[in-house]
Amino acid sequence: MNARMAVLAGDGVGQEIVPEAVKVLKAVGERFHHTFEFVEGLVGGQALDRVGVPLPDDTLALAKESDAVLLGAVGGPKWEGLEYRLRPERALLGLREQLGLFANLRPAKLYPMLADASTLKREVIEGIDLLVVRELTGGIYFGKPKGIEKTADGERGVNTEVYTTEEIRRIAKVAFEAARKRRRKVVSVDKANVLESSELWRRVVIEVHKGFPDVELTHMYVDNCAMQLIRNPKQFDVLVTTNLFGDILSDEAAMLTGSIGMLPSASIGATAGMYEPIHGSAPDIAGKNLANPIATIASAAMLLAYQLRLDKEAEAVERAILLTLEQGYRTKDIQSPGGKLVGTKEMGEAILRNFLQG
Ligand code: NAD
């Protein structure tokens, strides 16, 4: 296969972790005989400093012309006081909007050897392997009317939860397709006992499910789901939900596993998807070879599986990550007694070595 990837390392630790993931992707290309092309682009604060905007036109064009985008992170204290349109984080919204990325996929998987990094008991979290599929471009964050208006006795703030059949249909399809790569169980999360938009959500999800009879579908109210994620997270395989509910539940699910440096994400749409760690630019540890590159390398594995449909290759990368952790390699954020403490580069090298020997 031939694939072109836009590599947007961005700010802070992005500059350290993305090269480690690119090395692994290059090795995947060589071992499995694919021709991968990597083209770097400026994004975030780095772009702002060099060309005056956080998302330059040529970066956007590059993303649009590529098969996938691998992103590090954007932002940092240097750019915090700037007006909204110049903030590095604007680049993310611009990319999501322009690439039509309507689905956000966030797996939360617990590596058994890291169970003690979680705030929950080992027996509750051991074996967690779930995926939150969040609708990303609809719902209450975008619905109209919205705003704050004056009233006779004060002010009134309004947001509107809106979903169309088509928006629900396409996200449900992503969830069912993702479930087919996993344990074939989907829980659709809504608030259909109170909200009409959720009533439609549930109806459309049931309709789409008819095309996926091999996948089990159940429904759960969001308040119950928030509770079940803490009580018995192992029951979940794929969770599919709205923008607002997904925003909250995906952070909750992420924290079950303990470390932010371990968790990848994918935002997908009709064309090029964007693959990035869930964490930010970590300015407190940037430039010190301290960042954990695993979230970014795991994001590269998602790129292989979800964008390029190279499941075997993705599994080989995931196996290399697991083996490296089994061998005791630890960056500072996941340090454990008896572990081999290493930096960003050394962790990347160990994963690459295990991939090449796998
Ligand atoms: P952050 O995720 O950057 O850091 C939170 C904490 O986690 C820090 O203590 C950091 O050292 C640690 N951490 C993060 N990634 C790590 C890694 N790979 N290995 C080890 N430790 C890691 O969140 P923040 O501090 O709130 O934000 C910093 C900047 O990043 C802000 O400018 C924010 O706007 C931006 N941000 C960007 C994204 C993105 O690019 N997608 C996401 C979140 C925050």
Side-chain angles (χ1 to χ4, degrees), residues 237-285:
D237 179 19
V238 174
L239 286 158
V240 61
T241 192
T242 63
N243 203 344
L244 174 65
F245 296 160
D247 193 359
I248 300 163
L249 294 178
S250 59
D251 269 17
E252 187 188 353
M255 279 324 292
L256 295 172
T257 65
S259 172
I260 195 170
M262 302 288 298
L263 296 167
S265 80
S267 300
I268 61 181
T271 54
M274 194 157 82
Y275 298 80
E276 57 178 320
I278 70 160
H279 61 73
S281 60
D284 52 334
I285 57 167

Side-chain angles (χ1 to χ4, degrees), residues 49-118:
D49 287 353
R50 302 264 284 272
V51 295
V53 286
L55 180 59
D57 288 345
D58 48 359
T59 299
L60 189 57
L62 166 67
K64 284 184 172 169
E65 287 157 11
S66 300
D67 295 293
V69 178
L70 181 68
L71 186 105
V74 295
K78 181 177 174 193
W79 305 285
E80 251 157 37
L82 293 176
E83 61 180 291
Y84 189 61
R85 84 187 160 84
L86 291 177
R87 298 250 183 98
E89 292 79 0
R90 282 295 307 165
L92 295 181
L93 298 181
L95 282 164
R96 273 184 199 166
E97 219 171 82
Q98 294 289 322
L99 296 175
L101 304 176
F102 65 86
N104 184 238
L105 276 60
R106 276 221 213 163
K109 179 172 169 176
L110 186 85
Y111 294 95
M113 59 293 274
L114 301 181
D116 296 326
S118 172

Side-chain angles (χ1 to χ4, degrees), residues 4 16 21 63 80 99 109 111 118 131 150 178 187 189 191 202 208 259 265 298 304 312 326 351:
R4 181 181 211 224
E16 299 164 77
E80 251 157 37
L99 296 175
K109 179 172 169 176
Y111 294 95
S118 172
L131 174 71
K150 296 234 179 295
V187 176
V189 180
K191 189 76 183 164
R202 193 174 281 214
V208 176
S259 172
S265 80
L304 293 168
K312 208 167 25 106
E326 275 169 3
I351 294 171

